[in-house]
Amino acid sequence: MRNGCQRATQPADLNRFVLERLNAGDVDGLVALYGPDEVLIVPTIRAVGHREIRAAYEQFVAAKPEFAAGETQPAIRNGDLALTSVRLAGGGVTVEVARRQPDDTWLWGIDQPSLR
């Protein structure tokens, strides 16, 4: 397992893992959900690659936020790509593009966790 974390065997696993790892403050586990050159977009940050994604999550989890599970939408798959999304309790929506890896696990390629 990458970084000792459970790996996504389905695209929707990524949504569950990010919630668990955010609430645990597990920055290494969060970074492990992304490919090495992928993108995380939050309202004030565009992070590209593991180093920048790590810095974004370190800043974010430092405030020790608590997140409630939202309503995970069915993944839309096309070959080795999948569109995942979650309708959040507060009315927001996340949207992510996941990419199947050579070992048949899934990692996010593009993650925009706050879309209104």
PDB file of all heavy atoms in Angstrom, residues 1-8 13-34 57 61 65 67 107:
ATOM      1  N   MET A   1       0.825  -1.177   0.000  1.00  0.00           N
ATOM      2  CA  MET A   1       0.000   0.000   0.000  1.00  0.00           C
ATOM      3  C   MET A   1       0.875   1.248   0.000  1.00  0.00           C
ATOM      4  O   MET A   1       1.841   1.322   0.734  1.00  0.00           O
ATOM      5  CB  MET A   1      -0.917   0.021   1.219  1.00  0.00           C
ATOM      6  CG  MET A   1      -2.037  -0.984   1.132  1.00  0.00           C
ATOM      7  SD  MET A   1      -3.199  -0.852   2.499  1.00  0.00           S
ATOM      8  CE  MET A   1      -2.270  -1.608   3.799  1.00  0.00           C
ATOM      9  N   ARG A   2       0.531   2.207  -0.818  1.00  0.00           N
ATOM     10  CA  ARG A   2       1.254   3.461  -0.907  1.00  0.00           C
ATOM     11  C   ARG A   2       1.126   4.212   0.414  1.00  0.00           C
ATOM     12  O   ARG A   2       0.045   4.400   0.936  1.00  0.00           O
ATOM     13  CB  ARG A   2       0.647   4.281  -2.055  1.00  0.00           C
ATOM     14  CG  ARG A   2       1.377   5.535  -2.383  1.00  0.00           C
ATOM     15  CD  ARG A   2       0.780   6.205  -3.600  1.00  0.00           C
ATOM     16  NE  ARG A   2       1.019   5.377  -4.776  1.00  0.00           N
ATOM     17  CZ  ARG A   2       0.074   5.028  -5.638  1.00  0.00           C
ATOM     18  NH1 ARG A   2      -1.151   5.398  -5.464  1.00  0.00           N
ATOM     19  NH2 ARG A   2       0.354   4.280  -6.671  1.00  0.00           N
ATOM     20  N   ASN A   3       2.254   4.652   0.974  1.00  0.00           N
ATOM     21  CA  ASN A   3       2.293   5.395   2.238  1.00  0.00           C
ATOM     22  C   ASN A   3       1.529   4.695   3.355  1.00  0.00           C
ATOM     23  O   ASN A   3       1.029   5.337   4.267  1.00  0.00           O
ATOM     24  CB  ASN A   3       1.726   6.806   2.053  1.00  0.00           C
ATOM     25  CG  ASN A   3       2.644   7.692   1.251  1.00  0.00           C
ATOM     26  OD1 ASN A   3       3.835   7.442   1.176  1.00  0.00           O
ATOM     27  ND2 ASN A   3       2.094   8.710   0.639  1.00  0.00           N
ATOM     28  N   GLY A   4       1.383   3.375   3.291  1.00  0.00           N
ATOM     29  CA  GLY A   4       0.686   2.652   4.347  1.00  0.00           C
ATOM     30  C   GLY A   4      -0.812   2.842   4.328  1.00  0.00           C
ATOM     31  O   GLY A   4      -1.495   2.416   5.251  1.00  0.00           O
ATOM     32  N   CYS A   5      -1.348   3.496   3.311  1.00  0.00           N
ATOM     33  CA  CYS A   5      -2.785   3.783   3.238  1.00  0.00           C
ATOM     34  C   CYS A   5      -3.480   2.795   2.313  1.00  0.00           C
ATOM     35  O   CYS A   5      -2.894   2.308   1.353  1.00  0.00           O
ATOM     36  CB  CYS A   5      -3.014   5.189   2.686  1.00  0.00           C
ATOM     37  SG  CYS A   5      -2.438   6.490   3.761  1.00  0.00           S
ATOM     38  N   GLN A   6      -4.735   2.565   2.622  1.00  0.00           N
ATOM     39  CA  GLN A   6      -5.555   1.752   1.743  1.00  0.00           C
ATOM     40  C   GLN A   6      -5.677   2.444   0.392  1.00  0.00           C
ATOM     41  O   GLN A   6      -5.766   3.663   0.321  1.00  0.00           O
ATOM     42  CB  GLN A   6      -6.931   1.563   2.371  1.00  0.00           C
ATOM     43  CG  GLN A   6      -7.786   0.561   1.652  1.00  0.00           C
ATOM     44  CD  GLN A   6      -9.099   0.322   2.382  1.00  0.00           C
ATOM     45  OE1 GLN A   6      -9.388   0.954   3.387  1.00  0.00           O
ATOM     46  NE2 GLN A   6      -9.878  -0.590   1.865  1.00  0.00           N
ATOM     47  N   ARG A   7      -5.692   1.683  -0.693  1.00  0.00           N
ATOM     48  CA  ARG A   7      -5.731   2.228  -2.044  1.00  0.00           C
ATOM     49  C   ARG A   7      -7.119   2.056  -2.640  1.00  0.00           C
ATOM     50  O   ARG A   7      -7.836   1.113  -2.325  1.00  0.00           O
ATOM     51  CB  ARG A   7      -4.679   1.541  -2.887  1.00  0.00           C
ATOM     52  CG  ARG A   7      -3.285   1.848  -2.307  1.00  0.00           C
ATOM     53  CD  ARG A   7      -2.218   1.055  -2.937  1.00  0.00           C
ATOM     54  NE  ARG A   7      -1.942   1.582  -4.265  1.00  0.00           N
ATOM     55  CZ  ARG A   7      -1.051   1.065  -5.077  1.00  0.00           C
ATOM     56  NH1 ARG A   7      -0.366   0.023  -4.706  1.00  0.00           N
ATOM     57  NH2 ARG A   7      -0.843   1.583  -6.267  1.00  0.00           N
ATOM     58  N   ALA A   8      -7.482   2.978  -3.504  1.00  0.00           N
ATOM     59  CA  ALA A   8      -8.810   2.984  -4.121  1.00  0.00           C
ATOM     60  C   ALA A   8      -8.892   1.938  -5.227  1.00  0.00           C
ATOM     61  O   ALA A   8      -8.149   1.996  -6.198  1.00  0.00           O
ATOM     62  CB  ALA A   8      -9.114   4.366  -4.683  1.00  0.00           C
ATOM     63  N   ASP A  13     -14.117   5.243  -4.062  1.00  0.00           N
ATOM     64  CA  ASP A  13     -13.326   5.053  -2.838  1.00  0.00           C
ATOM     65  C   ASP A  13     -12.570   6.326  -2.475  1.00  0.00           C
ATOM     66  O   ASP A  13     -12.380   6.632  -1.297  1.00  0.00           O
ATOM     67  CB  ASP A  13     -12.300   3.928  -3.008  1.00  0.00           C
ATOM     68  CG  ASP A  13     -12.905   2.548  -3.119  1.00  0.00           C
ATOM     69  OD1 ASP A  13     -14.077   2.361  -2.745  1.00  0.00           O
ATOM     70  OD2 ASP A  13     -12.181   1.645  -3.599  1.00  0.00           O
ATOM     71  N   LEU A  14     -12.134   7.073  -3.483  1.00  0.00           N
ATOM     72  CA  LEU A  14     -11.353   8.277  -3.240  1.00  0.00           C
ATOM     73  C   LEU A  14     -12.127   9.284  -2.392  1.00  0.00           C
ATOM     74  O   LEU A  14     -11.564   9.908  -1.501  1.00  0.00           O
ATOM     75  CB  LEU A  14     -10.921   8.910  -4.567  1.00  0.00           C
ATOM     76  CG  LEU A  14      -9.921   8.074  -5.376  1.00  0.00           C
ATOM     77  CD1 LEU A  14      -9.847   8.585  -6.803  1.00  0.00           C
ATOM     78  CD2 LEU A  14      -8.558   8.086  -4.717  1.00  0.00           C
ATOM     79  N   ASN A  15     -13.422   9.436  -2.646  1.00  0.00           N
ATOM     80  CA  ASN A  15     -14.235  10.375  -1.872  1.00  0.00           C
ATOM     81  C   ASN A  15     -14.306   9.966  -0.404  1.00  0.00           C
ATOM     82  O   ASN A  15     -14.205  10.809   0.491  1.00  0.00           O
ATOM     83  CB  ASN A  15     -15.636  10.497  -2.470  1.00  0.00           C
ATOM     84  CG  ASN A  15     -15.619  11.059  -3.872  1.00  0.00           C
ATOM     85  OD1 ASN A  15     -15.839  10.331  -4.828  1.00  0.00           O
ATOM     86  ND2 ASN A  15     -15.343  12.330  -4.011  1.00  0.00           N
ATOM     87  N   ARG A  16     -14.461   8.696  -0.164  1.00  0.00           N
ATOM     88  CA  ARG A  16     -14.515   8.192   1.214  1.00  0.00           C
ATOM     89  C   ARG A  16     -13.162   8.372   1.900  1.00  0.00           C
ATOM     90  O   ARG A  16     -13.074   8.827   3.042  1.00  0.00           O
ATOM     91  CB  ARG A  16     -14.933   6.723   1.211  1.00  0.00           C
ATOM     92  CG  ARG A  16     -14.991   6.081   2.589  1.00  0.00           C
ATOM     93  CD  ARG A  16     -15.608   4.698   2.552  1.00  0.00           C
ATOM     94  NE  ARG A  16     -15.112   3.839   1.499  1.00  0.00           N
ATOM     95  CZ  ARG A  16     -14.049   3.048   1.604  1.00  0.00           C
ATOM     96  NH1 ARG A  16     -13.358   3.016   2.736  1.00  0.00           N
ATOM     97  NH2 ARG A  16     -13.673   2.274   0.605  1.00  0.00           N
ATOM     98  N   PHE A  17     -12.091   8.045   1.189  1.00  0.00           N
ATOM     99  CA  PHE A  17     -10.756   8.163   1.765  1.00  0.00           C
ATOM    100  C   PHE A  17     -10.400   9.606   2.098  1.00  0.00           C
ATOM    101  O   PHE A  17      -9.790   9.878   3.118  1.00  0.00           O
ATOM    102  CB  PHE A  17      -9.700   7.580   0.828  1.00  0.00           C
ATOM    103  CG  PHE A  17      -9.782   6.096   0.632  1.00  0.00           C
ATOM    104  CD1 PHE A  17      -9.167   5.503  -0.460  1.00  0.00           C
ATOM    105  CD2 PHE A  17     -10.468   5.278   1.516  1.00  0.00           C
ATOM    106  CE1 PHE A  17      -9.213   4.129  -0.655  1.00  0.00           C
ATOM    107  CE2 PHE A  17     -10.527   3.902   1.331  1.00  0.00           C
ATOM    108  CZ  PHE A  17      -9.900   3.329   0.235  1.00  0.00           C
ATOM    109  N   VAL A  18     -10.768  10.549   1.232  1.00  0.00           N
ATOM    110  CA  VAL A  18     -10.413  11.944   1.521  1.00  0.00           C
ATOM    111  C   VAL A  18     -11.127  12.420   2.779  1.00  0.00           C
ATOM    112  O   VAL A  18     -10.533  13.110   3.609  1.00  0.00           O
ATOM    113  CB  VAL A  18     -10.661  12.881   0.322  1.00  0.00           C
ATOM    114  CG1 VAL A  18     -12.127  13.228   0.144  1.00  0.00           C
ATOM    115  CG2 VAL A  18      -9.849  14.150   0.477  1.00  0.00           C
ATOM    116  N   LEU A  19     -12.373  12.041   2.972  1.00  0.00           N
ATOM    117  CA  LEU A  19     -13.108  12.430   4.176  1.00  0.00           C
ATOM    118  C   LEU A  19     -12.443  11.856   5.423  1.00  0.00           C
ATOM    119  O   LEU A  19     -12.191  12.576   6.395  1.00  0.00           O
ATOM    120  CB  LEU A  19     -14.563  11.973   4.084  1.00  0.00           C
ATOM    121  CG  LEU A  19     -15.437  12.297   5.287  1.00  0.00           C
ATOM    122  CD1 LEU A  19     -15.618  13.798   5.426  1.00  0.00           C
ATOM    123  CD2 LEU A  19     -16.782  11.597   5.146  1.00  0.00           C
ATOM    124  N   GLU A  20     -12.128  10.567   5.384  1.00  0.00           N
ATOM    125  CA  GLU A  20     -11.479   9.922   6.528  1.00  0.00           C
ATOM    126  C   GLU A  20     -10.138  10.578   6.848  1.00  0.00           C
ATOM    127  O   GLU A  20      -9.808  10.843   8.007  1.00  0.00           O
ATOM    128  CB  GLU A  20     -11.242   8.435   6.233  1.00  0.00           C
ATOM    129  CG  GLU A  20     -12.507   7.616   6.145  1.00  0.00           C
ATOM    130  CD  GLU A  20     -12.276   6.211   5.598  1.00  0.00           C
ATOM    131  OE1 GLU A  20     -11.121   5.859   5.245  1.00  0.00           O
ATOM    132  OE2 GLU A  20     -13.269   5.459   5.491  1.00  0.00           O
ATOM    133  N   ARG A  21      -9.353  10.848   5.818  1.00  0.00           N
ATOM    134  CA  ARG A  21      -8.003  11.378   6.021  1.00  0.00           C
ATOM    135  C   ARG A  21      -8.015  12.852   6.407  1.00  0.00           C
ATOM    136  O   ARG A  21      -7.179  13.291   7.197  1.00  0.00           O
ATOM    137  CB  ARG A  21      -7.163  11.112   4.778  1.00  0.00           C
ATOM    138  CG  ARG A  21      -6.971   9.603   4.592  1.00  0.00           C
ATOM    139  CD  ARG A  21      -6.369   9.223   3.280  1.00  0.00           C
ATOM    140  NE  ARG A  21      -6.491   7.778   3.101  1.00  0.00           N
ATOM    141  CZ  ARG A  21      -5.983   7.107   2.080  1.00  0.00           C
ATOM    142  NH1 ARG A  21      -5.299   7.741   1.139  1.00  0.00           N
ATOM    143  NH2 ARG A  21      -6.158   5.803   1.993  1.00  0.00           N
ATOM    144  N   LEU A  22      -8.970  13.610   5.880  1.00  0.00           N
ATOM    145  CA  LEU A  22      -9.116  15.006   6.319  1.00  0.00           C
ATOM    146  C   LEU A  22      -9.450  15.058   7.805  1.00  0.00           C
ATOM    147  O   LEU A  22      -8.824  15.806   8.564  1.00  0.00           O
ATOM    148  CB  LEU A  22     -10.220  15.712   5.536  1.00  0.00           C
ATOM    149  CG  LEU A  22      -9.853  16.292   4.187  1.00  0.00           C
ATOM    150  CD1 LEU A  22     -11.115  16.738   3.450  1.00  0.00           C
ATOM    151  CD2 LEU A  22      -8.875  17.441   4.320  1.00  0.00           C
ATOM    152  N   ASN A  23     -10.432  14.275   8.214  1.00  0.00           N
ATOM    153  CA  ASN A  23     -10.844  14.287   9.616  1.00  0.00           C
ATOM    154  C   ASN A  23      -9.758  13.765  10.546  1.00  0.00           C
ATOM    155  O   ASN A  23      -9.704  14.141  11.711  1.00  0.00           O
ATOM    156  CB  ASN A  23     -12.147  13.517   9.814  1.00  0.00           C
ATOM    157  CG  ASN A  23     -13.338  14.313   9.318  1.00  0.00           C
ATOM    158  OD1 ASN A  23     -13.339  15.543   9.334  1.00  0.00           O
ATOM    159  ND2 ASN A  23     -14.372  13.622   8.873  1.00  0.00           N
ATOM    160  N   ALA A  24      -8.867  12.919  10.033  1.00  0.00           N
ATOM    161  CA  ALA A  24      -7.761  12.399  10.841  1.00  0.00           C
ATOM    162  C   ALA A  24      -6.527  13.303  10.788  1.00  0.00           C
ATOM    163  O   ALA A  24      -5.556  13.064  11.505  1.00  0.00           O
ATOM    164  CB  ALA A  24      -7.385  10.994  10.359  1.00  0.00           C
ATOM    165  N   GLY A  25      -6.563  14.328   9.919  1.00  0.00           N
ATOM    166  CA  GLY A  25      -5.388  15.190   9.760  1.00  0.00           C
ATOM    167  C   GLY A  25      -4.222  14.472   9.102  1.00  0.00           C
ATOM    168  O   GLY A  25      -3.069  14.833   9.301  1.00  0.00           O
ATOM    169  N   ASP A  26      -4.510  13.460   8.287  1.00  0.00           N
ATOM    170  CA  ASP A  26      -3.496  12.604   7.665  1.00  0.00           C
ATOM    171  C   ASP A  26      -3.034  13.185   6.329  1.00  0.00           C
ATOM    172  O   ASP A  26      -3.536  12.818   5.268  1.00  0.00           O
ATOM    173  CB  ASP A  26      -4.092  11.201   7.480  1.00  0.00           C
ATOM    174  CG  ASP A  26      -3.134  10.225   6.833  1.00  0.00           C
ATOM    175  OD1 ASP A  26      -1.962  10.585   6.568  1.00  0.00           O
ATOM    176  OD2 ASP A  26      -3.576   9.081   6.583  1.00  0.00           O
ATOM    177  N   VAL A  27      -2.074  14.096   6.383  1.00  0.00           N
ATOM    178  CA  VAL A  27      -1.585  14.758   5.175  1.00  0.00           C
ATOM    179  C   VAL A  27      -0.947  13.755   4.216  1.00  0.00           C
ATOM    180  O   VAL A  27      -1.197  13.795   3.005  1.00  0.00           O
ATOM    181  CB  VAL A  27      -0.612  15.902   5.523  1.00  0.00           C
ATOM    182  CG1 VAL A  27       0.032  16.480   4.266  1.00  0.00           C
ATOM    183  CG2 VAL A  27      -1.342  16.993   6.305  1.00  0.00           C
ATOM    184  N   ASP A  28      -0.122  12.843   4.727  1.00  0.00           N
ATOM    185  CA  ASP A  28       0.505  11.842   3.851  1.00  0.00           C
ATOM    186  C   ASP A  28      -0.552  11.015   3.139  1.00  0.00           C
ATOM    187  O   ASP A  28      -0.434  10.731   1.941  1.00  0.00           O
ATOM    188  CB  ASP A  28       1.419  10.915   4.647  1.00  0.00           C
ATOM    189  CG  ASP A  28       2.698  11.594   5.098  1.00  0.00           C
ATOM    190  OD1 ASP A  28       3.098  12.608   4.492  1.00  0.00           O
ATOM    191  OD2 ASP A  28       3.296  11.111   6.079  1.00  0.00           O
ATOM    192  N   GLY A  29      -1.591  10.613   3.864  1.00  0.00           N
ATOM    193  CA  GLY A  29      -2.669   9.837   3.268  1.00  0.00           C
ATOM    194  C   GLY A  29      -3.427  10.623   2.220  1.00  0.00           C
ATOM    195  O   GLY A  29      -3.842  10.074   1.196  1.00  0.00           O
ATOM    196  N   LEU A  30      -3.616  11.917   2.438  1.00  0.00           N
ATOM    197  CA  LEU A  30      -4.288  12.762   1.452  1.00  0.00           C
ATOM    198  C   LEU A  30      -3.464  12.889   0.184  1.00  0.00           C
ATOM    199  O   LEU A  30      -3.981  12.730  -0.925  1.00  0.00           O
ATOM    200  CB  LEU A  30      -4.571  14.144   2.052  1.00  0.00           C
ATOM    201  CG  LEU A  30      -5.657  14.180   3.112  1.00  0.00           C
ATOM    202  CD1 LEU A  30      -5.568  15.442   3.948  1.00  0.00           C
ATOM    203  CD2 LEU A  30      -7.036  14.053   2.461  1.00  0.00           C
ATOM    204  N   VAL A  31      -2.176  13.147   0.328  1.00  0.00           N
ATOM    205  CA  VAL A  31      -1.299  13.282  -0.834  1.00  0.00           C
ATOM    206  C   VAL A  31      -1.273  11.985  -1.635  1.00  0.00           C
ATOM    207  O   VAL A  31      -1.218  12.001  -2.871  1.00  0.00           O
ATOM    208  CB  VAL A  31       0.124  13.708  -0.403  1.00  0.00           C
ATOM    209  CG1 VAL A  31       1.087  13.695  -1.582  1.00  0.00           C
ATOM    210  CG2 VAL A  31       0.086  15.095   0.244  1.00  0.00           C
ATOM    211  N   ALA A  32      -1.373  10.847  -0.961  1.00  0.00           N
ATOM    212  CA  ALA A  32      -1.343   9.544  -1.631  1.00  0.00           C
ATOM    213  C   ALA A  32      -2.561   9.311  -2.524  1.00  0.00           C
ATOM    214  O   ALA A  32      -2.573   8.372  -3.311  1.00  0.00           O
ATOM    215  CB  ALA A  32      -1.235   8.423  -0.593  1.00  0.00           C
ATOM    216  N   LEU A  33      -3.572  10.174  -2.444  1.00  0.00           N
ATOM    217  CA  LEU A  33      -4.761  10.040  -3.298  1.00  0.00           C
ATOM    218  C   LEU A  33      -4.561  10.651  -4.681  1.00  0.00           C
ATOM    219  O   LEU A  33      -5.453  10.568  -5.525  1.00  0.00           O
ATOM    220  CB  LEU A  33      -5.974  10.703  -2.624  1.00  0.00           C
ATOM    221  CG  LEU A  33      -6.393  10.115  -1.285  1.00  0.00           C
ATOM    222  CD1 LEU A  33      -7.523  10.933  -0.682  1.00  0.00           C
ATOM    223  CD2 LEU A  33      -6.788   8.657  -1.438  1.00  0.00           C
ATOM    224  N   TYR A  34      -3.405  11.253  -4.914  1.00  0.00           N
ATOM    225  CA  TYR A  34      -3.130  11.961  -6.172  1.00  0.00           C
ATOM    226  C   TYR A  34      -1.933  11.354  -6.877  1.00  0.00           C
ATOM    227  O   TYR A  34      -0.981  10.918  -6.239  1.00  0.00           O
ATOM    228  CB  TYR A  34      -2.801  13.434  -5.891  1.00  0.00           C
ATOM    229  CG  TYR A  34      -3.927  14.185  -5.241  1.00  0.00           C
ATOM    230  CD1 TYR A  34      -4.104  14.137  -3.862  1.00  0.00           C
ATOM    231  CD2 TYR A  34      -4.823  14.925  -6.001  1.00  0.00           C
ATOM    232  CE1 TYR A  34      -5.146  14.811  -3.253  1.00  0.00           C
ATOM    233  CE2 TYR A  34      -5.872  15.604  -5.393  1.00  0.00           C
ATOM    234  CZ  TYR A  34      -6.023  15.537  -4.023  1.00  0.00           C
ATOM    235  OH  TYR A  34      -7.060  16.200  -3.422  1.00  0.00           O
ATOM    236  N   TYR A  57      -2.540  20.918   1.827  1.00  0.00           N
ATOM    237  CA  TYR A  57      -3.211  20.138   2.874  1.00  0.00           C
ATOM    238  C   TYR A  57      -2.623  20.411   4.259  1.00  0.00           C
ATOM    239  O   TYR A  57      -3.362  20.427   5.242  1.00  0.00           O
ATOM    240  CB  TYR A  57      -3.191  18.648   2.564  1.00  0.00           C
ATOM    241  CG  TYR A  57      -4.312  18.223   1.646  1.00  0.00           C
ATOM    242  CD1 TYR A  57      -4.052  17.565   0.452  1.00  0.00           C
ATOM    243  CD2 TYR A  57      -5.640  18.474   1.977  1.00  0.00           C
ATOM    244  CE1 TYR A  57      -5.085  17.178  -0.377  1.00  0.00           C
ATOM    245  CE2 TYR A  57      -6.672  18.088   1.148  1.00  0.00           C
ATOM    246  CZ  TYR A  57      -6.388  17.441  -0.032  1.00  0.00           C
ATOM    247  OH  TYR A  57      -7.417  17.060  -0.853  1.00  0.00           O
ATOM    248  N   VAL A  61      -5.313  21.340   7.103  1.00  0.00           N
ATOM    249  CA  VAL A  61      -5.619  20.512   8.276  1.00  0.00           C
ATOM    250  C   VAL A  61      -5.084  21.117   9.570  1.00  0.00           C
ATOM    251  O   VAL A  61      -5.488  20.694  10.651  1.00  0.00           O
ATOM    252  CB  VAL A  61      -5.138  19.048   8.126  1.00  0.00           C
ATOM    253  CG1 VAL A  61      -5.757  18.390   6.921  1.00  0.00           C
ATOM    254  CG2 VAL A  61      -3.629  18.950   8.103  1.00  0.00           C
ATOM    255  N   PRO A  65     -10.225  21.079  10.930  1.00  0.00           N
ATOM    256  CA  PRO A  65     -11.650  21.117  10.581  1.00  0.00           C
ATOM    257  C   PRO A  65     -12.279  19.730  10.710  1.00  0.00           C
ATOM    258  O   PRO A  65     -11.586  18.714  10.631  1.00  0.00           O
ATOM    259  CB  PRO A  65     -11.646  21.578   9.128  1.00  0.00           C
ATOM    260  CG  PRO A  65     -10.326  21.101   8.601  1.00  0.00           C
ATOM    261  CD  PRO A  65      -9.367  21.192   9.769  1.00  0.00           C
ATOM    262  N   PHE A  67     -15.303  17.359   9.030  1.00  0.00           N
ATOM    263  CA  PHE A  67     -16.135  17.262   7.845  1.00  0.00           C
ATOM    264  C   PHE A  67     -17.163  16.158   8.000  1.00  0.00           C
ATOM    265  O   PHE A  67     -16.843  15.080   8.494  1.00  0.00           O
ATOM    266  CB  PHE A  67     -15.284  16.979   6.602  1.00  0.00           C
ATOM    267  CG  PHE A  67     -14.363  18.106   6.269  1.00  0.00           C
ATOM    268  CD1 PHE A  67     -13.074  18.125   6.763  1.00  0.00           C
ATOM    269  CD2 PHE A  67     -14.803  19.154   5.497  1.00  0.00           C
ATOM    270  CE1 PHE A  67     -12.223  19.164   6.479  1.00  0.00           C
ATOM    271  CE2 PHE A  67     -13.963  20.210   5.199  1.00  0.00           C
ATOM    272  CZ  PHE A  67     -12.667  20.219   5.696  1.00  0.00           C
ATOM    273  N   LEU A 107      -6.428   7.036  -8.735  1.00  0.00           N
ATOM    274  CA  LEU A 107      -5.924   8.246  -8.090  1.00  0.00           C
ATOM    275  C   LEU A 107      -6.590   9.445  -8.753  1.00  0.00           C
ATOM    276  O   LEU A 107      -6.952   9.391  -9.933  1.00  0.00           O
ATOM    277  CB  LEU A 107      -4.408   8.373  -8.258  1.00  0.00           C
ATOM    278  CG  LEU A 107      -3.545   7.325  -7.572  1.00  0.00           C
ATOM    279  CD1 LEU A 107      -2.081   7.531  -7.959  1.00  0.00           C
ATOM    280  CD2 LEU A 107      -3.715   7.393  -6.066  1.00  0.00           C
TER     281      LEU A 107
END
